[in-house]
mmCIF file of all heavy atoms in Angstrom:
data_model
loop_
_atom_site.group_PDB
_atom_site.id
_atom_site.type_symbol
_atom_site.label_atom_id
_atom_site.label_comp_id
_atom_site.label_asym_id
_atom_site.label_seq_id
_atom_site.Cartn_x
_atom_site.Cartn_y
_atom_site.Cartn_z
ATOM 1 N N GLY A 1 0.751 -1.223 0.018
ATOM 2 C CA GLY A 1 0.008 -0.010 -0.008
ATOM 3 C C GLY A 1 0.792 1.274 0.012
ATOM 4 O O GLY A 1 0.218 2.345 -0.122
ATOM 5 N N GLY A 2 2.098 1.201 0.137
ATOM 6 C CA GLY A 2 2.917 2.412 0.124
ATOM 7 C C GLY A 2 2.959 3.006 -1.244
ATOM 8 O O GLY A 2 2.579 2.392 -2.265
ATOM 9 N N GLY A 3 3.434 4.241 -1.326
ATOM 10 C CA GLY A 3 3.499 4.904 -2.606
ATOM 11 C C GLY A 3 3.744 6.398 -2.475
ATOM 12 O O GLY A 3 4.115 6.826 -1.368
ATOM 13 N N LEU A 4 3.581 7.099 -3.571
ATOM 14 C CA LEU A 4 3.779 8.552 -3.640
ATOM 15 C C LEU A 4 2.436 9.234 -3.751
ATOM 16 O O LEU A 4 1.632 8.873 -4.643
ATOM 17 C CB LEU A 4 4.647 8.863 -4.879
ATOM 18 C CG LEU A 4 4.808 10.322 -5.187
ATOM 19 C CD1 LEU A 4 5.573 11.060 -4.074
ATOM 20 C CD2 LEU A 4 5.617 10.495 -6.510
ATOM 21 N N VAL A 5 2.185 10.175 -2.877
ATOM 22 C CA VAL A 5 0.988 10.946 -2.928
ATOM 23 C C VAL A 5 1.274 12.406 -2.640
ATOM 24 O O VAL A 5 2.302 12.776 -2.079
ATOM 25 C CB VAL A 5 -0.087 10.475 -1.879
ATOM 26 C CG1 VAL A 5 -0.540 9.029 -2.220
ATOM 27 C CG2 VAL A 5 0.487 10.509 -0.487
ATOM 28 N N GLN A 6 0.339 13.275 -3.040
ATOM 29 C CA GLN A 6 0.474 14.703 -2.701
ATOM 30 C C GLN A 6 -0.041 14.981 -1.349
ATOM 31 O O GLN A 6 -0.880 14.232 -0.742
ATOM 32 C CB GLN A 6 -0.363 15.563 -3.696
ATOM 33 C CG GLN A 6 0.316 15.801 -5.055
ATOM 34 C CD GLN A 6 -0.408 16.885 -5.804
ATOM 35 O OE1 GLN A 6 -1.517 17.282 -5.494
ATOM 36 N NE2 GLN A 6 0.249 17.364 -6.846
ATOM 37 N N ALA A 7 0.440 16.057 -0.735
ATOM 38 C CA ALA A 7 -0.041 16.466 0.576
ATOM 39 C C ALA A 7 -1.558 16.629 0.484
ATOM 40 O O ALA A 7 -2.120 17.133 -0.454
ATOM 41 C CB ALA A 7 0.579 17.793 0.974
ATOM 42 N N GLY A 8 -2.212 16.121 1.607
ATOM 43 C CA GLY A 8 -3.636 16.147 1.600
ATOM 44 C C GLY A 8 -4.333 14.847 1.120
ATOM 45 O O GLY A 8 -5.523 14.687 1.299
ATOM 46 N N GLY A 9 -3.533 14.029 0.456
ATOM 47 C CA GLY A 9 -4.078 12.811 -0.091
ATOM 48 C C GLY A 9 -4.131 11.680 0.976
ATOM 49 O O GLY A 9 -3.837 11.906 2.140
ATOM 50 N N SER A 10 -4.504 10.522 0.469
ATOM 51 C CA SER A 10 -4.700 9.376 1.369
ATOM 52 C C SER A 10 -4.000 8.107 0.813
ATOM 53 O O SER A 10 -3.807 7.952 -0.407
ATOM 54 C CB SER A 10 -6.199 9.044 1.490
ATOM 55 O OG SER A 10 -6.891 10.097 2.057
ATOM 56 N N LEU A 11 -3.639 7.266 1.736
ATOM 57 C CA LEU A 11 -3.107 5.924 1.371
ATOM 58 C C LEU A 11 -3.651 4.963 2.413
ATOM 59 O O LEU A 11 -3.935 5.313 3.559
ATOM 60 C CB LEU A 11 -1.602 5.888 1.409
ATOM 61 C CG LEU A 11 -0.816 6.459 0.247
ATOM 62 C CD1 LEU A 11 0.665 6.490 0.540
ATOM 63 C CD2 LEU A 11 -1.092 5.711 -1.050
ATOM 64 N N ARG A 12 -3.744 3.674 2.017
ATOM 65 C CA ARG A 12 -4.111 2.662 2.936
ATOM 66 C C ARG A 12 -3.086 1.541 2.926
ATOM 67 O O ARG A 12 -2.836 0.930 1.893
ATOM 68 C CB ARG A 12 -5.465 2.094 2.593
ATOM 69 C CG ARG A 12 -6.052 0.997 3.522
ATOM 70 C CD ARG A 12 -7.438 0.572 3.084
ATOM 71 N NE ARG A 12 -7.982 -0.521 3.806
ATOM 72 C CZ ARG A 12 -8.630 -0.430 4.968
ATOM 73 N NH1 ARG A 12 -8.823 0.763 5.540
ATOM 74 N NH2 ARG A 12 -9.086 -1.520 5.551
ATOM 75 N N LEU A 13 -2.449 1.327 4.045
ATOM 76 C CA LEU A 13 -1.462 0.311 4.183
ATOM 77 C C LEU A 13 -2.073 -0.995 4.731
ATOM 78 O O LEU A 13 -2.969 -0.936 5.556
ATOM 79 C CB LEU A 13 -0.291 0.759 5.156
ATOM 80 C CG LEU A 13 0.400 2.030 4.809
ATOM 81 C CD1 LEU A 13 1.538 2.243 5.850
ATOM 82 C CD2 LEU A 13 0.953 2.043 3.388
ATOM 83 N N SER A 14 -1.577 -2.107 4.307
ATOM 84 C CA SER A 14 -2.059 -3.377 4.783
ATOM 85 C C SER A 14 -0.838 -4.248 5.165
ATOM 86 O O SER A 14 0.198 -4.125 4.604
ATOM 87 C CB SER A 14 -2.803 -4.154 3.659
ATOM 88 O OG SER A 14 -3.952 -3.438 3.234
ATOM 89 N N CYS A 15 -1.059 -5.074 6.130
ATOM 90 C CA CYS A 15 -0.020 -6.001 6.595
ATOM 91 C C CYS A 15 -0.703 -7.324 7.005
ATOM 92 O O CYS A 15 -1.462 -7.362 7.903
ATOM 93 C CB CYS A 15 0.782 -5.422 7.732
ATOM 94 S SG CYS A 15 1.955 -6.565 8.483
ATOM 95 N N ALA A 16 -0.300 -8.360 6.261
ATOM 96 C CA ALA A 16 -0.857 -9.685 6.596
ATOM 97 C C ALA A 16 0.194 -10.524 7.309
ATOM 98 O O ALA A 16 1.327 -10.684 6.868
ATOM 99 C CB ALA A 16 -1.299 -10.386 5.269
ATOM 100 N N ALA A 17 -0.247 -11.122 8.395
ATOM 101 C CA ALA A 17 0.648 -11.960 9.206
ATOM 102 C C ALA A 17 0.342 -13.429 8.920
ATOM 103 O O ALA A 17 -0.836 -13.804 8.734
ATOM 104 C CB ALA A 17 0.500 -11.675 10.687
ATOM 105 N N SER A 18 1.370 -14.251 8.883
ATOM 106 C CA SER A 18 1.184 -15.680 8.718
ATOM 107 C C SER A 18 2.195 -16.430 9.553
ATOM 108 O O SER A 18 3.180 -15.857 9.960
ATOM 109 C CB SER A 18 1.273 -16.062 7.239
ATOM 110 O OG SER A 18 2.599 -15.761 6.782
ATOM 111 N N GLY A 19 1.893 -17.670 9.826
ATOM 112 C CA GLY A 19 2.766 -18.515 10.615
ATOM 113 C C GLY A 19 2.116 -18.900 11.920
ATOM 114 O O GLY A 19 0.925 -19.184 11.955
ATOM 115 N N ASN A 20 2.876 -18.930 13.002
ATOM 116 C CA ASN A 20 2.423 -19.358 14.311
ATOM 117 C C ASN A 20 1.787 -18.230 15.034
ATOM 118 O O ASN A 20 2.453 -17.574 15.865
ATOM 119 C CB ASN A 20 3.571 -20.026 15.077
ATOM 120 C CG ASN A 20 3.127 -20.670 16.396
ATOM 121 O OD1 ASN A 20 3.888 -20.722 17.330
ATOM 122 N ND2 ASN A 20 1.862 -21.044 16.459
ATOM 123 N N ILE A 21 0.500 -17.980 14.763
ATOM 124 C CA ILE A 21 -0.215 -16.833 15.321
ATOM 125 C C ILE A 21 -0.882 -17.210 16.627
ATOM 126 O O ILE A 21 -1.736 -18.123 16.602
ATOM 127 C CB ILE A 21 -1.201 -16.246 14.326
ATOM 128 C CG1 ILE A 21 -0.522 -15.978 12.989
ATOM 129 C CG2 ILE A 21 -1.872 -15.010 14.880
ATOM 130 C CD1 ILE A 21 0.562 -14.973 13.051
ATOM 131 N N PHE A 22 -0.618 -16.503 17.700
ATOM 132 C CA PHE A 22 -1.334 -16.678 18.933
ATOM 133 C C PHE A 22 -2.605 -15.772 18.988
ATOM 134 O O PHE A 22 -2.644 -14.778 18.239
ATOM 135 C CB PHE A 22 -0.470 -16.289 20.134
ATOM 136 C CG PHE A 22 0.795 -17.064 20.278
ATOM 137 C CD1 PHE A 22 1.829 -16.575 21.148
ATOM 138 C CD2 PHE A 22 0.997 -18.253 19.644
ATOM 139 C CE1 PHE A 22 3.004 -17.291 21.282
ATOM 140 C CE2 PHE A 22 2.179 -18.962 19.765
ATOM 141 C CZ PHE A 22 3.161 -18.461 20.585
ATOM 142 N N ARG A 23 -3.535 -16.152 19.785
ATOM 143 C CA ARG A 23 -4.801 -15.383 19.836
ATOM 144 C C ARG A 23 -4.545 -13.989 20.394
ATOM 145 O O ARG A 23 -5.095 -13.008 19.910
ATOM 146 C CB ARG A 23 -5.790 -16.130 20.711
ATOM 147 C CG ARG A 23 -7.224 -15.607 20.491
ATOM 148 C CD ARG A 23 -8.216 -16.295 21.445
ATOM 149 N NE ARG A 23 -8.396 -15.500 22.666
ATOM 150 C CZ ARG A 23 -7.896 -15.809 23.854
ATOM 151 N NH1 ARG A 23 -7.179 -16.891 24.011
ATOM 152 N NH2 ARG A 23 -8.097 -15.001 24.844
ATOM 153 N N ILE A 24 -3.721 -13.877 21.418
ATOM 154 C CA ILE A 24 -3.419 -12.590 22.055
ATOM 155 C C ILE A 24 -2.132 -11.950 21.380
ATOM 156 O O ILE A 24 -1.077 -12.531 21.513
ATOM 157 C CB ILE A 24 -3.214 -12.738 23.543
ATOM 158 C CG1 ILE A 24 -4.466 -13.307 24.203
ATOM 159 C CG2 ILE A 24 -2.821 -11.409 24.203
ATOM 160 C CD1 ILE A 24 -4.306 -13.639 25.680
ATOM 161 N N ASN A 25 -2.368 -10.897 20.723
ATOM 162 C CA ASN A 25 -1.266 -10.250 20.020
ATOM 163 C C ASN A 25 -1.568 -8.787 19.757
ATOM 164 O O ASN A 25 -2.749 -8.374 19.902
ATOM 165 C CB ASN A 25 -0.924 -10.968 18.727
ATOM 166 C CG ASN A 25 -2.018 -10.960 17.735
ATOM 167 O OD1 ASN A 25 -2.390 -9.912 17.146
ATOM 168 N ND2 ASN A 25 -2.641 -12.125 17.500
ATOM 169 N N THR A 26 -0.533 -8.069 19.388
ATOM 170 C CA THR A 26 -0.697 -6.683 19.062
ATOM 171 C C THR A 26 -0.066 -6.422 17.675
ATOM 172 O O THR A 26 1.036 -6.906 17.429
ATOM 173 C CB THR A 26 -0.069 -5.707 20.057
ATOM 174 O OG1 THR A 26 -0.665 -5.871 21.340
ATOM 175 C CG2 THR A 26 -0.190 -4.290 19.626
ATOM 176 N N MET A 27 -0.777 -5.783 16.780
ATOM 177 C CA MET A 27 -0.244 -5.439 15.492
ATOM 178 C C MET A 27 -0.186 -3.955 15.370
ATOM 179 O O MET A 27 -1.061 -3.221 15.932
ATOM 180 C CB MET A 27 -1.084 -6.005 14.333
ATOM 181 C CG MET A 27 -1.228 -7.531 14.382
ATOM 182 S SD MET A 27 -2.095 -8.249 12.986
ATOM 183 C CE MET A 27 -0.854 -8.060 11.687
ATOM 184 N N GLY A 28 0.803 -3.438 14.674
ATOM 185 C CA GLY A 28 0.901 -1.997 14.577
ATOM 186 C C GLY A 28 1.873 -1.568 13.453
ATOM 187 O O GLY A 28 2.368 -2.377 12.690
ATOM 188 N N TRP A 29 2.072 -0.283 13.431
ATOM 189 C CA TRP A 29 2.910 0.351 12.444
ATOM 190 C C TRP A 29 3.892 1.256 13.104
ATOM 191 O O TRP A 29 3.538 2.067 13.988
ATOM 192 C CB TRP A 29 2.092 1.111 11.392
ATOM 193 C CG TRP A 29 1.222 0.271 10.579
ATOM 194 C CD1 TRP A 29 -0.048 -0.079 10.779
ATOM 195 C CD2 TRP A 29 1.586 -0.372 9.348
ATOM 196 N NE1 TRP A 29 -0.555 -0.928 9.832
ATOM 197 C CE2 TRP A 29 0.460 -1.100 8.891
ATOM 198 C CE3 TRP A 29 2.738 -0.431 8.546
ATOM 199 C CZ2 TRP A 29 0.434 -1.807 7.716
ATOM 200 C CZ3 TRP A 29 2.732 -1.161 7.413
ATOM 201 C CH2 TRP A 29 1.586 -1.833 6.972
ATOM 202 N N TYR A 30 5.163 1.168 12.677
ATOM 203 C CA TYR A 30 6.225 2.112 13.025
ATOM 204 C C TYR A 30 6.656 2.761 11.766
ATOM 205 O O TYR A 30 6.431 2.257 10.650
ATOM 206 C CB TYR A 30 7.376 1.394 13.688
ATOM 207 C CG TYR A 30 7.151 0.925 15.108
ATOM 208 C CD1 TYR A 30 6.310 -0.153 15.423
ATOM 209 C CD2 TYR A 30 7.805 1.586 16.188
ATOM 210 C CE1 TYR A 30 6.079 -0.551 16.720
ATOM 211 C CE2 TYR A 30 7.584 1.170 17.500
ATOM 212 C CZ TYR A 30 6.746 0.072 17.734
ATOM 213 O OH TYR A 30 6.559 -0.336 19.047
ATOM 214 N N ARG A 31 7.330 3.898 11.895
ATOM 215 C CA ARG A 31 7.890 4.534 10.725
ATOM 216 C C ARG A 31 9.243 5.141 11.061
ATOM 217 O O ARG A 31 9.555 5.483 12.191
ATOM 218 C CB ARG A 31 6.967 5.598 10.179
ATOM 219 C CG ARG A 31 6.780 6.838 11.073
ATOM 220 C CD ARG A 31 5.727 7.757 10.502
ATOM 221 N NE ARG A 31 5.542 8.933 11.259
ATOM 222 C CZ ARG A 31 4.596 9.866 11.082
ATOM 223 N NH1 ARG A 31 3.734 9.706 10.098
ATOM 224 N NH2 ARG A 31 4.504 10.915 11.906
ATOM 225 N N GLN A 32 10.076 5.228 10.029
ATOM 226 C CA GLN A 32 11.400 5.861 10.216
ATOM 227 C C GLN A 32 11.608 6.766 9.015
ATOM 228 O O GLN A 32 11.707 6.332 7.851
ATOM 229 C CB GLN A 32 12.476 4.793 10.297
ATOM 230 C CG GLN A 32 13.843 5.391 10.654
ATOM 231 C CD GLN A 32 14.816 4.315 11.113
ATOM 232 O OE1 GLN A 32 14.688 3.139 10.773
ATOM 233 N NE2 GLN A 32 15.780 4.716 11.869
ATOM 234 N N ALA A 33 11.782 8.024 9.299
ATOM 235 C CA ALA A 33 12.077 9.044 8.321
ATOM 236 C C ALA A 33 13.576 9.228 8.225
ATOM 237 O O ALA A 33 14.330 8.930 9.171
ATOM 238 C CB ALA A 33 11.447 10.369 8.686
ATOM 239 N N PRO A 34 14.117 9.732 7.089
ATOM 240 C CA PRO A 34 15.561 9.949 6.945
ATOM 241 C C PRO A 34 16.097 10.815 8.071
ATOM 242 O O PRO A 34 15.556 11.875 8.383
ATOM 243 C CB PRO A 34 15.660 10.669 5.604
ATOM 244 C CG PRO A 34 14.485 10.200 4.850
ATOM 245 C CD PRO A 34 13.387 10.088 5.845
ATOM 246 N N GLY A 35 17.142 10.334 8.711
ATOM 247 C CA GLY A 35 17.799 11.077 9.804
ATOM 248 C C GLY A 35 17.076 11.045 11.101
ATOM 249 O O GLY A 35 17.534 11.733 12.022
ATOM 250 N N LYS A 36 16.023 10.322 11.247
ATOM 251 C CA LYS A 36 15.214 10.258 12.450
ATOM 252 C C LYS A 36 15.226 8.846 12.995
ATOM 253 O O LYS A 36 15.441 7.855 12.301
ATOM 254 C CB LYS A 36 13.799 10.800 12.252
ATOM 255 C CG LYS A 36 13.751 12.251 11.933
ATOM 256 C CD LYS A 36 12.307 12.706 11.943
ATOM 257 C CE LYS A 36 12.206 14.213 11.722
ATOM 258 N NZ LYS A 36 10.731 14.658 11.756
ATOM 259 N N GLU A 37 14.861 8.699 14.262
ATOM 260 C CA GLU A 37 14.699 7.427 14.852
ATOM 261 C C GLU A 37 13.349 6.800 14.524
ATOM 262 O O GLU A 37 12.398 7.534 14.229
ATOM 263 C CB GLU A 37 14.844 7.519 16.422
ATOM 264 C CG GLU A 37 16.224 7.893 16.883
ATOM 265 C CD GLU A 37 16.355 7.883 18.360
ATOM 266 O OE1 GLU A 37 15.344 7.910 19.070
ATOM 267 O OE2 GLU A 37 17.531 7.796 18.877
ATOM 268 N N ARG A 38 13.283 5.495 14.587
ATOM 269 C CA ARG A 38 12.038 4.829 14.358
ATOM 270 C C ARG A 38 11.026 5.149 15.420
ATOM 271 O O ARG A 38 11.362 5.227 16.663
ATOM 272 C CB ARG A 38 12.280 3.276 14.306
ATOM 273 C CG ARG A 38 11.038 2.473 14.070
ATOM 274 C CD ARG A 38 11.475 0.950 13.968
ATOM 275 N NE ARG A 38 12.217 0.603 15.134
ATOM 276 C CZ ARG A 38 13.059 -0.426 15.174
ATOM 277 N NH1 ARG A 38 13.211 -1.186 14.112
ATOM 278 N NH2 ARG A 38 13.712 -0.737 16.256
#
């Protein structure tokens, strides 16, 4: 879902998990910009 958009626009990111999935879990998103910490 990543890509290039103009300011004011929208994007929708998706992330699918597979493997040994437990019922209790947390999913989320982090980001890291150039020169900055995650």
Side-chain angles (χ1 to χ4, degrees):
L4 173 65
V5 295
Q6 280 194 346
S10 297
L11 284 174
R12 183 176 173 86
L13 305 183
S14 299
C15 174
S18 61
N20 186 207
I21 307 299
F22 300 164
R23 199 185 91 254
I24 300 174
N25 62 71
T26 298
M27 301 186 75
W29 294 91
Y30 286 72
R31 67 186 182 187
Q32 187 164 24
K36 293 187 177 181
E37 294 185 341
R38 181 176 52 203

